[in-house]
Amino acid sequence: MSIVRDTPLPQAGKAVGIDTLGMTMRFGSFTALNDVSINIPAGSFHALLGENGAGKSTLVKCIMGFYHATSGSLSVDGREVAVNSPRDAAGYGLGMVYQHFTLVPSLTGAENLVISRAEVPAVVNWAKERRDLEAFMERMPFKIPLERPVSELAAGEKQKLEIVKQLYLGRSFIVLDEPTSVLTPAEADEMLGLVRGMTERGELTVLMISHKFHEVTKFADAVSILRRGKLVGSGKVGELSTSDMAAMMIGDIKLAELDARTPIGERAPLVLTVKDAKAPDRSGLKRIEIDRLSVRSGEILGIAGISGNGQKELTEILAGQRPLEAGTVSVKGSRYGATRPETRQYNVRFIPEEPLQNACAPKMTVSDNLAFRTFDLKAGGGDAIWLSKGKMRKRAADLIADFKVRTASSASPIAALSGGNVQRAVLARELTGDVDLLIVSNPCFGLDFSAVADIRARIMKARNAGTAVLLLSEDLDELLEMSDRIMVISEGKLVYETPARGADIGVIGAHMAGHH
Ligand SMILES: Nc1ncnc2c1ncn2[C@@H]1O[C@H](COP(=O)(O)OP(=O)(O)OP(=O)(O)O)[C@@H](O)[C@H]1O
């Protein structure tokens, strides 16, 4: 048996500060980051703002050693350092927490922490690890049940564990990339409050990418704003109003407004109906059972629920990717299996979550991806025999302009776009043309505030024009603003229904949490 060798636990954290000096990053002839100098002192909580494609991720990737900046330098605690890889960054105490969880769901919190170390012993001395972990957790403000499998933790607990993992690995400067996008408002507040406490005690420095002004003003003490790769503003949070920050981000652009809701006609036809549908969930251990769900023309039905309660399975059933064991899905009164001819015949459009993985061919160009619905159709609607690359490019240019997709060119691979711009490109493809049924999951995830306003206005326009919309969202505010009716999904079942107008958030929240 091999020798048990333990890496020592990090000492109590002492925050480190960083400076970027003239950081510039070019991709070919495109400048994603242009001469950016930012000072983030040790123990501060710094927010990084910018519209989609402004260069936030690029800056962070340069700091973390994922990218080699074209020019410029990085200092840690006042000393210029060479960070050529994430491993180098880790050596200086720099760590990153991603928007999506990176933990292994079947392992416990303790196991996740131990295996995340660079040098995991061949044989783990669990008794010693547990003692060490207990001592470590005593220093942490976060309380997390480390003995439970991660799959059983709530989203807020998982996010805290991601942060604890970085601290366990000895990082004392962490980047939080939109850290609250899958948390409830209460979880977000608690988590950011605890992180803020650590910065105030000088144990940690935080750089947070966020699109949420209320989080920035409540928790950060300074902010830097990027626009088209340039630093356009920075300062103390208290000295800048939300509208100052918004204006620096996007300039003097008027936000899209929601059209007034037209009443749903009494005889508005049913467009989508799901009856007695049963299917196993992804683990095969639980089931999804939808007794009855229907959406009328000109109606938005919102589905609320904590992530992982069957939303993904429901969208997979509707996309024809998860066979039913029993029950039916019908569109406009006919059985519907989501084949390409059926989606065309009934004008069904679908925007799944994580669109880069689920709705795009990442290595193909933006123009090709925008043409997926139409490349084999002639202008009049018949089948096309030849691909017309010229027409595809022209159509792509129109959609890119209309939906303000920021890309170096329509010939760039779609995977090179920023997260928010991939989302915009997929929305451009799916929301254009005649749409009778729109199934959309978290449409505004990762979008900046002006894009959020724009996308919601477009969905409302489609509704008012008669589209039936099934809107699955983890954002309750979005559901309350957009929906006509709201249903709650919990453990694979629809457990509660209410008109959105006058809905009681407390009651919805209780059903989301499993109290029926
Ligand atoms: N590997 C790459 N190749 C080519 N262009 C890239 C690459 N990575 C980023 N870009 C471009 O750089 C610009 C900045 O992207 P970045 O991901 O930094 O934006 P962001 O501010 O993080 O946006 P979001 O809020 O949407 O995440 C975008 O226009 C993007 O298309």
Side-chain angles (χ1 to χ4, degrees):
M1 199 177 269
S2 352
I3 304 294
V4 176
R5 201 174 133 272
D6 286 324
T7 17
L9 277 170
Q11 296 304 305
K14 192 184 158 307
V16 294
I18 68 158
D19 286 277
T20 67
L21 298 165
M23 198 79 93
T24 296
M25 181 77 206
R26 290 200 189 89
F27 297 104
S29 60
F30 178 74
T31 305
L33 206 60
N34 195 346
D35 195 21
V36 171
S37 300
I38 296 182
N39 167 247
I40 306 174
S44 59
F45 192 134
H46 199 100
L48 186 59
L49 291 177
E51 64 182 332
N52 296 131
K56 303 177 296 293
S57 306
T58 305
L59 175 66
V60 161
K61 285 178 184 164
C62 290
I63 296 171
M64 289 295 152
F66 288 104
Y67 287 160
H68 296 178
T70 314
S71 59
S73 63
L74 175 72
S75 298
V76 176
D77 274 347
R79 223 160 32 99
E80 190 171 324
V81 295
V83 174
N84 291 315
S85 67
R87 184 182 277 257
D88 288 350
Y92 292 110
L94 315 181
M96 171 137 186
V97 174
Y98 297 91
Q99 221 170 356
H100 292 286
F101 300 126
T102 61
L103 302 161
V104 184
S106 56
L107 299 183
T108 64
E111 288 163 345
N112 265 285
L113 291 182
V114 172
I115 63 159
S116 67
R117 296 208 303 254
E119 293 171 49
V120 190
V123 176
V124 176
N125 178 350
W126 278 105
K128 177 176 184 314
E129 294 296 349
R130 285 210 180 84
R131 275 196 310 278
D132 284 356
L133 272 175
E134 243 169 60
F136 170 74
M137 287 306 287
E138 253 167 40
R139 296 206 315 262
M140 291 293 113
F142 304 93
K143 299 291 162 241
I144 315 161
L146 285 185
E147 296 307 323
R148 297 219 337 246
V150 164
S151 57
E152 290 177 11
L153 301 182
E157 290 174 318
K158 286 186 203 160
Q159 188 64 291
K160 285 188 224 160
L161 187 56
E162 292 278 2
I163 295 172
V164 163
K165 184 169 107 182
Q166 293 301 316
L167 302 167
Y168 175 76
L169 294 172
R171 318 283 193 255
S172 45
F173 172 97
I174 56 173
V175 174
L176 301 177
D177 183 3
E178 295 189 49
T180 60
S181 38
V182 296
L183 306 189
T184 63
E187 285 176 327
D189 260 24
E190 191 205 353
M191 188 272 288
L192 291 176
L194 294 171
V195 170
R196 164 98 204 169
M198 293 190 81
T199 60
E200 281 168 355
R201 291 192 295 278
E203 297 162 7
L204 185 67
T205 311
V206 170
L207 173 60
M208 174 172 79
I209 297 179
S210 179
H211 288 297
K212 298 180 185 164
F213 289 126
H214 66 271
E215 276 174 4
V216 173
T217 43
K218 187 161 176 193
F219 296 103
D221 36 44
V223 56
S224 293
I225 297 152
L226 293 180
R227 183 157 168 216
R228 303 194 176 201
K230 286 194 181 145
L231 181 70
V232 288
S234 54
K236 293 221 170 74
V237 163
E239 290 166 8
L240 291 169
S241 69
T242 304
S243 43
D244 291 338
M245 292 190 249
M248 283 189 224
M249 276 172 69
I250 62 166
D252 208 7
I253 296 172
K254 199 172 167 302
L255 291 187
E257 282 175 19
L258 277 194
D259 286 349
R261 202 180 283 273
T262 52
I264 305 170
E266 268 183 16
R267 279 188 289 182
L270 280 179
V271 179
L272 172 68
T273 313
V274 181
K275 254 195 211 157
D276 300 322
K278 291 188 175 59
D281 81 342
R282 272 177 299 157
S283 67
L285 302 173
K286 291 194 251 164
R287 308 171 56 69
I288 171 149
E289 297 185 357
I290 303 291
D291 296 341
R292 190 176 169 82
L293 175 158
S294 57
V295 194
R296 290 181 179 279
S297 167
E299 178 188 38
I300 300 180
L301 172 63
I303 304 286
I306 295 169
S307 165
N309 271 278
Q311 296 93 323
K312 199 161 187 164
E313 286 80 1
L314 174 58
T315 52
E316 284 168 356
I317 289 170
L318 297 174
Q321 293 163 348
R322 179 168 295 273
L324 285 179
E325 290 171 349
T328 52
V329 175
S330 325
V331 173
K332 298 187 189 170
S334 303
R335 281 276 188 118
Y336 177 78
T339 59
R340 193 165 166 87
E342 284 173 336
T343 54
R344 280 210 173 137
Q345 184 183 348
Y346 300 121
N347 292 330
V348 181
R349 297 299 175 88
F350 185 59
I351 305 167
E353 56 184 10
E354 294 184 49
L356 185 61
Q357 280 79 39
N358 299 324
C360 295
K363 290 184 183 156
M364 291 176 78
T365 65
V366 175
S367 166
D368 291 344
N369 272 278
L370 284 172
F372 283 170
R373 293 275 178 201
T374 49
F375 69 93
D376 53 353
L377 289 180
K378 285 198 278 201
D383 289 345
I385 298 173
W386 308 107
L387 277 187
S388 168
K389 282 279 183 188
K391 268 199 203 127
M392 279 163 62
R393 272 197 298 276
K394 161 83 180 69
R395 190 167 176 279
D398 292 345
L399 291 179
I400 286 169
D402 190 12
F403 281 75
K404 304 188 192 83
V405 181
R406 187 142 302 145
T407 173
S409 130
S410 66
S412 307
I414 196 157
L417 264 58
S418 75
N421 278 298
V422 172
Q423 186 81 359
R424 288 182 199 222
V426 171
L427 286 158
R429 182 182 72 206
E430 300 296 311
L431 287 179
T432 303
D434 293 333
V435 187
D436 292 336
L437 173 60
L438 176 67
I439 299 161
V440 52
S441 186
N442 292 312
C444 297
F445 192 87
L447 293 184
D448 64 54
F449 69 97
S450 73
V452 168
D454 196 27
I455 295 308
R456 290 184 185 163
R458 283 177 194 267
I459 293 176
M460 189 57 78
K461 261 199 172 53
R463 172 213 176 271
N464 285 347
T467 304
V469 182
L470 181 69
L471 170 65
L472 295 101
S473 176
E474 281 155 36
D475 182 341
L476 255 187
D477 291 337
E478 172 166 87
L479 289 173
L480 290 166
E481 181 181 358
M482 298 293 296
S483 312
D484 297 288
R485 254 185 318 135
I486 294 178
M487 294 179 100
V488 176
I489 191 164
S490 171
E491 300 197 350
K493 295 193 171 105
L494 293 171
V495 293
Y496 178 68
E497 179 173 350
T498 174
R501 225 168 144 198
D504 183 331
I505 301 186
V507 176
I508 295 179
H511 283 286
M512 286 167 67
H515 308 298
H516 314 306

